[in-house]
Amino acid sequence: NIIQAWKDYFAILKIDLAAGVTAKAGHFTMDNAENNVTMMTHLSQLLVPRELPLGFDAKDRRIMCYAHIMNICVQHVVEAFRSPDMLAEAWDDAFDDDEVDKDEYLAAVQRDPVSLGRSILIATGNDQDWFKSPDGQPVQVPKTQLLHDQRMSAEKRAMLNRAVPSFELFMTAWEKLRETNKCIAPFIDVGLKWAKQYYNRMDNTQAYIISMLVDPSLQFQWIRKYWGQEWIMHAENIVLALMEKYHATKVSASGNVESSPQPDSLDSLARLYGLDDMELGPSRRGALQAVEKEYRMYVDGELVDGSMDPLRFWEVNRTRFPTIFAIAMDYLPIQASSVPCERVFSSSADTDTKKRNLISPILMEALQMLKY
């Protein structure tokens, strides 16, 4: 009876999920393997007949795993330590022959650099953390960067709203490390080269900007403080365009999508003749004003404490900011890392053992759901 109840439950769940996909599809967090690009492209083609109200752009809906990006950057730095050419370049750029013995330096970096990097020394009476560089000297690492890395790599699910600030802090910390430690500057340059490539790829999706906006402890403050004016305007245009789209489709938190109102006849005529600059009819103008008012009221308000659960904020303010609330319900759950998902798959081996090889797929699914 219990197994039958689970079968019924999951059968209903799958029907509900299938119905939800006909309304909208979310974002997919995965590593940077090329076959994932092919998969997303194929998925976008499969979803074309469903005519999703919010559309499905393969590039926009794909999120790069934060942990995977960091691992790639660090692995390239470690590989650089093993390159004779890089070692010679580091020697030429960092030292004069009379400062440090070259043979001693090369011997130091040819020892296990990862173990040396893990040799953390906490400086007493200081708010900085240190580790030893290959030449035996302490290298300063800002403590704030270590804390951000810990927050993004913790066992709990890392959310996308902190990905860009954490990554920008990581890159800035490495740039400062490069300036103050010439002996490892060539190796850091290798990691920064890869970091910048992935940082630029973040522009392929709007999700990073939107997820920061819907975090009530962040909103647009990071963007306004650290981004250039051109990029601030670009980010605001992205947000307002998405808000207008949500306002038009009236996507509710439950996933129901109401039909958008018929477009103004003058707008239709303007589009027919390609007169885009004359397309703004009264109905759309009113919608834009409502979206703009809601946006300004939200971003000009006070930030909430970072320890507060953002869902509690939106429970209280869903009627005050209805459009942003609908966006928040879609963008806040986006994962910054695919590691938790991979951990679920790995843990299945603990259940699906050789002695339990007759477990049915529906029971296996139920057990995995109960675990997490």
Side-chain angles (χ1 to χ4, degrees):
N1 289 339
I2 294 175
I3 293 177
Q4 185 58 47
W6 274 109
K7 286 183 178 180
D8 294 342
Y9 170 77
F10 279 100
I12 295 171
L13 178 63
K14 287 177 179 178
I15 293 173
D16 290 343
L17 289 173
V21 171
T22 61
K24 55 186 176 180
H27 293 74
F28 295 78
T29 304
M30 55 189 72
D31 64 30
N32 299 286
E34 192 62 29
N35 59 347
N36 285 328
V37 178
T38 306
M39 187 277 290
M40 289 296 291
T41 303
H42 186 61
L43 178 61
S44 66
Q45 295 168 354
L46 292 175
L47 291 175
V48 168
R50 294 182 180 268
E51 299 180 353
L52 303 180
L54 297 177
F56 188 90
D57 183 287
K59 283 188 175 181
D60 180 65
R61 298 306 180 100
R62 184 192 174 196
I63 306 299
M64 300 179 295
C65 174
Y66 184 91
H68 191 244
I69 293 174
M70 296 293 292
N71 181 62
I72 288 174
C73 296
V74 172
Q75 288 300 324
H76 279 90
V77 172
V78 173
E79 287 299 319
F81 270 103
R82 298 170 182 155
S83 168
D85 294 337
M86 288 295 298
L87 293 177
E89 180 185 346
W91 171 266
D92 293 336
D93 291 346
F95 304 110
D96 295 326
D97 290 341
D98 57 350
E99 285 184 349
V100 180
D101 184 87
K102 184 173 184 179
D103 292 335
E104 289 183 4
Y105 174 78
L106 294 178
V109 293
Q110 285 174 337
R111 294 199 304 270
D112 185 359
V114 177
S115 296
L116 290 170
R118 288 173 178 167
S119 178
I120 302 294
L121 299 176
I122 305 299
T124 57
N126 199 321
D127 63 350
Q128 303 292 334
D129 286 354
W130 304 74
F131 70 87
K132 287 184 178 180
S133 68
D135 64 340
Q137 299 300 316
V139 176
Q140 190 173 350
V141 180
K143 194 169 190 176
T144 52
Q145 175 56 29
L146 292 174
L147 292 174
H148 270 269
D149 287 344
Q150 289 168 5
R151 179 166 187 169
M152 291 302 295
S153 62
E155 179 120 359
K156 66 179 182 179
R157 296 174 183 84
M159 311 310 289
L160 195 66
N161 49 348
R162 298 283 167 168
V164 168
S166 294
F167 201 72
E168 290 180 351
L169 281 169
F170 149 71
M171 292 178 64
T172 303
W174 273 25
E175 288 166 355
K176 289 184 177 180
L177 200 63
R178 181 192 183 283
E179 294 172 2
T180 55
N181 299 273
K182 292 178 64 179
C183 59
I184 59 173
F187 308 107
I188 293 177
D189 284 341
V190 173
L192 282 174
K193 176 184 176 182
W194 285 90
K196 290 174 181 176
Q197 287 184 21
Y198 285 105
Y199 182 68
N200 292 333
R201 289 184 190 177
M202 290 181 180
D203 293 335
N204 290 337
T205 174
Q206 303 174 359
Y208 291 98
I209 291 174
I210 302 299
S211 62
M212 283 193 284
L213 170 77
V214 296
D215 180 353
S217 67
L218 199 60
Q219 295 179 7
F220 248 47
Q221 296 303 312
W222 182 272
I223 293 175
R224 286 175 172 176
K225 189 172 183 179
Y226 296 108
W227 291 16
Q229 188 59 38
E230 182 180 349
W231 281 102
I232 293 174
M233 293 178 61
H234 174 68
E236 286 196 334
N237 289 337
I238 286 175
V239 170
L240 290 171
L242 185 66
M243 287 183 66
E244 185 185 357
K245 188 181 293 187
Y246 267 74
H247 189 274
T249 54
K250 293 186 174 68
V251 180
S252 68
S254 61
N256 299 321
V257 181
E258 301 175 18
S259 301
S260 56
Q262 290 296 320
D264 188 278
S265 58
L266 292 178
D267 284 356
S268 303
L269 195 61
R271 286 195 296 273
L272 179 64
Y273 290 106
L275 303 174
D276 295 338
D277 56 340
M278 299 179 66
E279 184 183 331
L280 194 61
S283 59
R284 183 162 179 242
R285 186 162 54 244
L288 283 174
Q289 290 173 350
V291 164
E292 176 80 17
K293 181 179 179 181
E294 181 180 339
Y295 168 75
R296 291 298 168 194
M297 189 186 304
Y298 174 69
V299 297
D300 292 338
E302 293 185 2
L303 298 177
V304 303
D305 188 87
S307 61
M308 179 182 179
D309 185 347
L311 284 178
R312 291 196 174 186
F313 172 87
W314 288 113
E315 284 175 359
V316 175
N317 293 278
R318 59 184 299 173
T319 56
R320 188 180 178 196
F321 309 112
T323 306
I324 303 178
F325 167 76
I327 295 173
M329 294 302 99
D330 287 342
Y331 281 80
L332 271 181
I334 299 176
Q335 306 292 294
S337 172
S338 60
V339 172
C341 178
E342 293 170 7
R343 190 178 295 121
V344 172
F345 278 96
S346 298
S347 76
S348 64
D350 299 332
T351 303
D352 191 16
T353 63
K354 290 182 180 180
K355 292 184 177 180
R356 298 173 177 170
N357 59 7
L358 295 181
I359 292 179
S360 66
I362 206 77
L363 179 57
M364 185 66 194
E365 185 174 2
L367 291 171
Q368 285 298 100
M369 293 282 284
L370 285 172
K371 278 185 188 178
Y372 292 91

